[in-house]
Amino acid sequence: MWLPGHTPLHGRSIAVIGDGPLCETVRRDAAALGLHVLDAPDADLAIVPASGELADLGPEAFALVREEGRTTAHVGGAPGALYAWFQLLREAAGGPDTSGTASATTRFAPEHDLRMLDHWDNVAVHPVMGQVERGYSGGSIFFRDGALRADLSRVERYARLLASIGINRVAINNVNVHERETHLLSEGLASVERLAGIFRPWGIRLHLSVSFAAPITLGGLGSADPLDPDVQAWWTDAVAGVYAAIPDFGGFVVKADSEGQPGPFAYGRDHADGANLLARALRPHGGIVHWRAFVYNHRQDWRDRRTDRARAAYDHFAPLDGRFDDNVIVQVKYGPLDFQVREPVSPVIPAMRRTRVALELQVTQEYTGQQRHAVYLAPQWREILDFRPFGDDGPRLAELVRGGIAAVSNVGDDRFWTGHPLAQANLYAYGRLAWDSTLDPGAILDEWAALTFGSDGSASDDEAVRRGIRHLLDDSWRTYESYTAPLGVCFMVSPHGHYGPSVDGYEYSPWGTYHFADRDGIGVDRTVATGTGYAGQYPEPWASVYESLETVPDELLLFFHHVPYTHVLHSGSTVIQHIYDTHFAGVERVRDMVAEWDGLEGRTDAALHARVSERLAEQLRSAIEWRDQINTYFLRKSGIPDERGREIY
Amino acid sequence: MWLPGHTPLHGRSIAVIGDGPLCETVRRDAAALGLHVLDAPDADLAIVPASGELADLGPEAFALVREEGRTTAHVGGAPGALYAWFQLLREAAGGPDTSGTASATTRFAPEHDLRMLDHWDNVAVHPVMGQVERGYSGGSIFFRDGALRADLSRVERYARLLASIGINRVAINNVNVHERETHLLSEGLASVERLAGIFRPWGIRLHLSVSFAAPITLGGLGSADPLDPDVQAWWTDAVAGVYAAIPDFGGFVVKADSEGQPGPFAYGRDHADGANLLARALRPHGGIVHWRAFVYNHRQDWRDRRTDRARAAYDHFAPLDGRFDDNVIVQVKYGPLDFQVREPVSPVIPAMRRTRVALELQVTQEYTGQQRHAVYLAPQWREILDFRPFGDDGPRLAELVRGGIAAVSNVGDDRFWTGHPLAQANLYAYGRLAWDSTLDPGAILDEWAALTFGSDGSASDDEAVRRGIRHLLDDSWRTYESYTAPLGVCFMVSPHGHYGPSVDGYEYSPWGTYHFADRDGIGVDRTVATGTGYAGQYPEPWASVYESLETVPDELLLFFHHVPYTHVLHSGSTVIQHIYDTHFAGVERVRDMVAEWDGLEGRTDAALHARVSERLAEQLRSAIEWRDQINTYFLRKSGIPDERGREIY
């Protein structure tokens, strides 16, 4: 991972002026990296409380002032000291020493107060989903076989890594709360307290996923009705118990009435009733509720073409705008379906201006190659964050999400933390974009590579490595898109596992994710005029843009429209020829990635190189499988041959 | 199950003349059922050693001589006494008392010496396949969580049930031999010995499935090469150990070089080398090897249309005809694929006239509704047994299988033994047909119903019940066929689980089971002229019959030919219209079954009635799902509407 045990700052002096555990964390970290930690502000580097014209900095913000070879960080509060320290490390690793340049003051402040990582870790191993649901990096770093791990040293290192990218909230357990995990609120609380103690010195508050049915399953009540005073009292007591143990506890994450999880619908209540129930128990302690908007009918009848899962979150939540308490965050997945490689941005976010909404991303690559494929997701996230729901003159999505950003983590007990070593870059980029959504994905990648592949003068401290990684990853998200489901159609993956192609895998399922391919055409008609009406959930101009075949972007064509295979895209290609062309090209691009990496042999750690090589070989095999299954499926269905006569089976 | 604790023979007298444990078993069983067991041959019923003109009866055979209201069974040996006793019980339950009619002598002798049931039970619960692989009746009756069950009373009852239908061999563990089960040959032998002791009084010898790699995994040798003297010595010793504990041990069942199981191919040897290795170790003790012919490449490339899994068993085994030792039984599944609802009969059986071949059937309903659907399989088995591979003048298949018949059992620890109570009829019918392949499936069903639903004067002893069950089950196999994969095309089931429809579920898989449907047509060209050549593996007349579109039977059309959807069947219907018609009709037939059973409410045990009702409701739901998925898939692909305008989605 990034931030290995060396830095070009080794041997320099630093002064950290301030009390409290976070400043102490910085001093300890600096000393561990070989800096001389002084009390005097005439050190090479200084971190000092902001004053004067910088006194308006928020507690997490800081300003770097460079003059005469010295850099001073003026920090708004203790967290600012932590983040300033990591900025100094970043800059030191980043190439030319900027601390010696002409005087300058640069301000740094996070865009969002809440920058969160969600873990889908189970305490007890789930018979189907395993220790970590949708985890592709081995076991949980927190739990093993039903209990807290004895050795938590990786959690300590993890907390430092997260602090270095500005993460300040972590939810430690799966949103699908099974029996054992329910008890984290009761006899399991000691484990939670212990983990909170590890995260605390790094400025990170800990959250728990809870079951809405806990008053029944844990409390022995007959109901979990949010309007039942006994239920309210039970939550009040439960929350008080948590805060007695963990005074800076962050709050709860809840997946309610979703994919089998319990929720307020059972009592004829709505999601505002449900969320506010928990919010009111948490409010006296300063806690918050992340209430997920991922609510839809997962027992849909595939025969019914009018029901549209994409509509569900908006239909459920938009009418509730304004009814959520202030300490409720409605957490919305970036797209209306489920973390697909390409979806339109969820219309729920612009629809709920009177609600604190959080954007939910997925660092773990559930639908994007499961850390067997090298897929750098920051370009996708930037597109999402840059989306302007109200058109060019309106705000970016990043400005609308007043509840911050959350994402599902991708780490585990794997030797390289993330299965695919290059998937570390996604975790890094997530934190950086959550802090500042205007950062350039390529620049983030350079930062990550510089911090990861060392500044210790080893062979890996090598411009060729950084350039190779850029080549390999820059376009990898679009490469993955090119050889998988085409033109925004989504869900052509193997059911359950979600890895590898199965064109019809979800086509006759109850999951609401269909493509409706027949011999003439493909796609989901989500227009207002003739389809499910989903396009109408957007404000203008997007409602009109998506509604019309003339204006819908090619990459989302099949998400919004059912068209003949002979439909001509804006690109000039037909749909069918586009499918063939992108799938052939995608495989060739993966071959280039393999060659690129082969060329770096000997320039990074041998074990890491071997692991990436092994993953790239699997990516190539899988990309070929995707190409051939998709192309064959559509050739058999459409009967239209490839214009260029390439091999389709 | 059949043979509840009462019989119309209650109060009659019986004499069983003969020594030994099997005669003792009969006396004990008769006494338990309330007969007066006498020593004198002037009892109402007598079982006596055959002599005179009946002296030629084999040890399992018997003749019933009826004169003046008395019935005497003349038995060729002790097993004959057992089978005669159960024939008397059957006849007593069967309706009019035939023992009072005019004098007559009727001979009974099994067609095959080996009438076997194979259990796919695991000792340790397999993480994916469970305690019983392809078991749909709860847990194993033998094992639980890694050990022999403490309470083996169900095994005792099972042994009696099997004896009553003439089964004389049982293999107790899964042919996929996992780690724990390997040890049944070593420290697990005490468990095997205990089970053998339970089966022994019922004339049943016990067999074990073994791993070909046991010399390595269990013996610690470096090889399992059948020509290696150390390996041969290891097996000789291992077998001697088994026989020291179980002197009447039956032998081994082996799945080698199949679906990941180890085998002789690893050493450049063939299956004759492998089978003879074990046979030679077993021969001094009178043991036999059942060596399965289920060998094929399960890592096939779906792009490769020339490789044909259906060819594999013949290609591997036919050239070895004559090379197997006499105590090797080559065990061949009835069709070339895998227990599908409709396949042609395997060409391996007629190809191996110099080998003892056993026919393998599947009582457990892996591909035929998994005991959630009522599917009476005896009509299918009769068709298979009646098949004349060399044409009308040649022998029936039943006459060719000199190695007897084997089948996979369907019982478990379920309250009704078989999940679906009506699936008991399949186990019953299997035993009866293994004894006499000319029995009528309908008559067997009557026998089973009479023995099951009592002769105790209760409401269930009711002609309406027997008639209802006949109505429900007689045609149920063809009904199941009608709403599932059409025209012999096979494998449109959900991968892994094998329950429910998934038309393309196996289409792009490595399993070698494809239908090649495109917008124009469907089916596998297995002709010699233009296809894989599989049709040429049959002797005449079948090679020609299957080769030609003019003569191939409709029900196997798509197994042998790829045809347009507009191809006209012998029935006069097109392929596409046949698909629509049969799928609509199949669902209607299931509705009739539901109504039929509803009409029997109150006439059988209430719990049993409720269980069957619940299963029929699921069968109807599933049949509708099959109908709609299959019809929709082919409408979308072919674009040809239903002539009758019924609803397709």
Side-chain angles (χ1 to χ4, degrees), chain A residues 370-423:
Chain A
Q370 303 194 351
Q371 283 126 261
R372 284 180 263 187
H373 295 226
V375 179
Y376 179 54
L377 292 167
Q380 180 191 35
W381 299 334
R382 260 308 293 269
E383 276 198 19
I384 293 163
L385 292 161
D386 285 344
F387 181 70
R388 293 181 190 271
F390 303 99
D392 287 349
D393 300 331
R396 297 166 63 238
L397 193 82
E399 298 165 61
L400 291 174
V401 289
R402 294 190 297 113
I405 303 195
V408 188
S409 179
N410 67 346
V411 306
D413 69 359
D414 169 60
R415 172 175 180 176
F416 297 101
W417 289 74
T418 52
H420 200 311
L422 300 182

Side-chain angles (χ1 to χ4, degrees), chain A residues 414-592:
Chain A
D414 169 60
R415 172 175 180 176
F416 297 101
W417 289 74
T418 52
H420 200 311
L422 300 182
Q424 297 172 8
N426 286 324
L427 183 60
Y428 185 87
Y430 166 69
R432 298 291 288 137
L433 285 171
W435 177 281
D436 179 355
S437 69
T438 67
L439 293 174
D440 173 64
I444 295 174
L445 207 44
D446 286 343
E447 246 183 49
W448 169 74
L451 283 168
T452 302
F453 295 104
S455 311
D456 58 349
S458 75
S460 68
D461 181 16
D462 184 331
E463 191 53 31
V465 170
R466 302 184 194 184
R467 213 169 42 232
I469 285 171
R470 283 291 298 267
H471 273 144
L472 213 145
L473 291 181
D474 264 346
D475 239 8
S476 56
W477 165 54
R478 287 191 178 78
T479 297
Y480 185 83
E481 181 183 23
S482 71
Y483 60 74
T484 57
L487 297 164
V489 79
C490 303
F491 273 94
M492 289 184 165
V493 294
S494 289
H496 311 303
H498 298 167
Y499 184 78
S502 178
V503 180
D504 273 1
Y506 276 96
E507 191 60 14
Y508 303 95
S509 82
W511 292 97
T513 49
Y514 314 115
H515 54 64
F516 301 122
D518 62 21
R519 74 197 319 254
D520 302 315
I522 181 174
V524 188
D525 184 351
R526 292 191 164 105
T527 65
V528 174
T530 56
T532 69
Y534 168 78
Q537 292 185 340
Y538 288 87
E540 290 297 345
W542 293 105
S544 298
V545 167
Y546 291 146
E547 179 79 9
S548 163
L549 271 177
E550 302 298 313
T551 48
V552 67
D554 282 351
E555 70 268 18
L556 289 171
L557 172 67
L558 302 182
F559 195 93
F560 285 101
H561 297 272
H562 187 94
V563 299
Y565 294 116
T566 51
H567 175 84
V568 178
L569 300 170
H570 303 309
S571 71
S573 183
T574 60
V575 166
I576 188 72
Q577 192 59 39
H578 173 93
I579 291 173
Y580 298 149
D581 287 346
T582 52
H583 285 76
F584 283 111
V587 168
E588 294 317 304
R589 179 71 189 102
V590 177
R591 285 194 214 284
D592 292 344

Side-chain angles (χ1 to χ4, degrees), chain B residues 134-480:
Chain B
R134 308 304 180 188
Y136 312 106
S137 309
S140 165
I141 62 172
F142 305 130
F143 309 111
R144 183 165 189 165
D145 293 338
L148 194 68
R149 280 174 174 272
D151 177 3
L152 292 170
S153 58
R154 181 166 283 202
V155 180
E156 292 175 30
R157 283 183 287 157
Y158 183 56
R160 175 174 180 253
L161 288 166
L162 296 192
S164 82
I165 52 174
I167 298 298
N168 63 3
R169 306 275 179 158
V170 168
I172 57 168
N173 67 307
N174 186 4
V175 289
N176 292 311
V177 182
H178 309 296
E179 201 276 336
R180 184 82 61 96
E181 292 73 23
T182 306
H183 294 268
L184 288 174
L185 277 181
S186 52
E187 67 270 25
L189 197 53
S191 300
V192 184
E193 186 180 348
R194 188 137 171 247
L195 290 171
I198 294 174
F199 282 109
R200 187 174 294 116
W202 299 97
I204 296 166
R205 291 169 71 177
L206 196 147
H207 296 237
L208 279 181
S209 295
V210 296
S211 164
F212 194 77
I216 299 171
T217 56
L218 203 59
L221 301 188
S223 165
D225 182 351
L227 302 194
D228 179 334
D230 289 344
V231 172
Q232 295 165 355
W234 186 88
W235 279 110
T236 299
D237 286 352
V239 167
V242 174
Y243 277 90
I246 308 164
D248 63 347
F249 181 72
F252 293 146
V253 181
V254 188
K255 175 178 180 178
D257 287 320
S258 173
E259 297 183 339
Q261 293 293 310
F265 286 168
Y267 307 98
R269 315 302 180 191
D270 62 29
H271 282 276
D273 297 326
N276 292 341
L277 164 71
L278 300 180
R280 285 163 198 176
L282 287 159
R283 189 208 305 274
H285 309 278
I288 54 182
V289 178
H290 282 85
W291 189 269
R292 293 176 91 228
F294 184 53
V295 176
Y296 68 98
N297 174 13
H298 69 290
R299 301 200 185 283
Q300 191 175 325
D301 187 339
W302 59 266
R303 300 163 188 80
D304 165 21
R305 286 211 186 191
R306 280 172 315 199
T307 301
D308 181 3
R309 169 171 164 180
R311 291 186 56 107
Y314 183 102
D315 287 343
H316 284 298
F317 282 86
L320 303 177
D321 188 31
R323 288 210 26 235
F324 291 96
D325 286 4
D326 276 352
N327 62 329
V328 172
I329 313 276
V330 173
Q331 182 169 323
V332 181
K333 291 190 181 189
Y334 63 76
L337 291 181
D338 192 15
F339 298 137
Q340 301 298 290
V341 68
R342 178 72 70 175
E343 297 181 55
V345 168
S346 171
V348 174
I349 297 169
M352 299 188 76
R353 303 295 296 272
R354 291 178 293 156
T355 304
R356 290 175 74 192
V357 173
L359 173 69
E360 182 175 322
L361 302 171
Q362 197 183 41
V363 182
T364 194
Q365 292 170 235
E366 178 178 359
Y367 293 99
T368 50
Q370 303 195 348
Q371 283 126 261
R372 284 181 264 187
H373 295 226
V375 179
Y376 178 54
L377 292 167
Q380 181 191 35
W381 298 334
R382 260 308 293 272
E383 276 199 18
I384 293 163
L385 292 161
D386 284 345
F387 181 71
R388 293 180 189 271
F390 302 100
D392 287 348
D393 299 333
R396 296 165 65 236
L397 193 82
E399 299 166 58
L400 290 174
V401 288
R402 295 190 297 112
I405 303 194
V408 187
S409 180
N410 67 346
V411 305
D413 68 359
D414 168 60
R415 172 175 179 175
F416 297 101
W417 289 75
T418 52
H420 200 310
L422 300 183
Q424 296 172 9
N426 285 324
L427 183 60
Y428 185 87
Y430 167 68
R432 298 290 288 137
L433 285 171
W435 177 282
D436 180 355
S437 69
T438 68
L439 293 175
D440 173 63
I444 295 174
L445 207 44
D446 285 343
E447 248 182 48
W448 170 74
L451 283 167
T452 301
F453 294 104
S455 310
D456 58 350
S458 76
S460 66
D461 181 16
D462 184 332
E463 190 53 30
V465 170
R466 302 184 195 184
R467 215 169 39 231
I469 285 172
R470 283 290 298 268
H471 274 144
L472 214 147
L473 291 181
D474 264 346
D475 240 9
S476 56
W477 165 53
R478 287 190 178 79
T479 296
Y480 185 82

Side-chain angles (χ1 to χ4, degrees), chain A residues 48-57 74-75:
Chain A
V48 303
S51 59
E53 63 185 20
L54 295 173
D56 62 331
L57 289 168
H74 300 262
V75 303

